[in-house]
Amino acid sequence: MRTVIGIGLLLLVTSAEAGVVGQWDFDGNFSGSIGGAVMPVAGTGSITFTTATIGGSTAEVAHVLPAATFTTGTDDPHFSAPNSAGGNGGGSFTNQYSIVMDVMIPSANSRSGGDGYTSLFQTNTSDTNDGDWFLRDDGGLGISGDYSDFGNPNFFTFGDWHRIALTIDTTSASGSATYRSYIDGALQNQVQSPSGWGVDGRYSLDTTFLLFADDDGEVNELYLNSLQLRDYAMTADEVAALGGPTAGGIPVPEPATFGVIGLGLAGLLARRRR
């Protein structure tokens, strides 16, 4: 009698980069290390590259400079970014996502037409209405007149580099909506009832979205080092793990690895030879 032992085979399967569908680091170009290129629209201002010191190290960054006088929203310099996430959250559009950026804004918005607000994000790719995430001149982040949680001392400071994040889940109920703004890993504000809330509504993403665009001139000079888009609403712990801005940009999580055991794990296979 001869005994033959079946050998188990371990298969390693890796997922995509933990839901990251876009990563752009503006190292002298607008291409993405994940996702397609960001398209700049200079309009009546300018978008150029320069260097900046972030955390004691030098980084190449994009410099967005609007014209001194507002003409029309579509003329202001902004970016059009691709979104490959597709429909989620039960809708035709992307309803669950996170946007993270390393940004420096020299001063509060004193531009004619700026009204003390800086638009950071716009879902309407025609830019014919208000932006969807704003920085207010007191350092608060939000929308719908809601720019800070009561008693929260965490505010954006002008002239400093910050890593800011917006997490969205339009399937959450208005009144306790997942529209959360973070600064350097810490929660800054949750907008409980954003206007136009709901699946496939105002805050859902199509195949592209705009950055630093607004229909009536609430834009501002700024510097951008890194931008990331994820296809889900990050948890507070995940945002906290990203911490503050770095010259190297926003880290991309390592792909998750799963062990799959199969092929021959039936144990000991015995067969007799007469």
Side-chain angles (χ1 to χ4, degrees):
M1 179 179 71
R2 183 174 67 183
T3 301
V4 179
I5 300 176
I7 304 298
L9 177 62
L10 178 65
L11 301 179
L12 295 180
V13 180
T14 59
S15 72
E17 285 86 353
V20 177
V21 294
Q23 177 75 28
W24 301 275
D25 291 309
F26 304 99
D27 294 327
N29 60 68
F30 300 104
S31 62
S33 56
I34 300 173
V38 166
M39 301 302 294
V41 180
T44 56
S46 64
I47 298 175
T48 56
F49 291 102
T50 186
T51 57
T53 300
I54 306 174
S57 298
T58 301
E60 192 161 16
V61 302
H63 179 206
V64 178
L65 182 63
T69 303
F70 170 70
T71 52
T72 65
T74 53
D75 283 340
D76 280 326
H78 60 276
F79 294 116
S80 175
N83 166 35
S84 63
N88 65 14
S92 300
F93 300 100
T94 305
N95 290 280
Q96 297 161 320
Y97 59 92
S98 302
I99 294 174
V100 188
M101 62 177 77
D102 284 1
V103 64
M104 193 276 278
I105 301 176
S107 62
N109 199 339
S110 59
R111 178 185 189 236
S112 175
D115 300 324
Y117 290 87
T118 298
S119 176
L120 301 169
F121 165 61
Q122 165 73 290
T123 63
N124 178 359
T125 56
S126 298
D127 194 22
T128 54
N129 57 17
D130 219 16
D132 300 294
W133 188 32
F134 283 93
L135 170 65
R136 196 168 61 180
D137 60 3
D138 64 353
L141 293 163
I143 198 69
S144 302
D146 186 344
Y147 289 87
S148 64
D149 285 342
F150 180 76
N152 189 339
N154 189 25
F155 283 89
F156 188 98
T157 53
F158 295 95
D160 298 317
W161 280 94
H162 290 288
R163 178 165 291 165
I164 58 176
L166 174 68
T167 63
I168 294 282
D169 182 355
T170 69
T171 70
S172 58
S174 181
S176 58
T178 298
Y179 179 114
R180 298 189 178 104
S181 298
Y182 296 82
I183 300 175
D184 300 333
L187 180 67
Q188 187 270 330
N189 185 33
Q190 178 177 356
V191 179
Q192 300 288 337
S193 301
S195 59
W197 193 248
V199 172
D200 284 351
R202 171 179 175 179
Y203 302 95
S204 62
L205 299 185
D206 206 336
T207 55
T208 59
F209 60 96
L210 305 182
L211 299 164
F212 320 124
D214 180 65
D215 68 325
D216 57 1
E218 293 172 333
V219 298
N220 198 0
E221 178 185 13
L222 56 86
Y223 297 83
L224 179 66
N225 181 47
S226 188
L227 171 69
Q228 188 177 103
L229 174 67
R230 300 195 188 192
D231 62 2
Y232 68 99
M234 297 171 67
T235 66
D237 286 345
E238 286 178 301
V239 179
L242 292 180
T246 59
I250 303 159
V252 176
E254 291 294 328
T257 302
F258 306 93
V260 180
I261 300 177
L263 301 182
L265 285 190
L268 298 178
L269 303 178
R271 61 190 177 98
R272 293 181 179 178
R273 174 177 294 175
R274 291 186 181 272

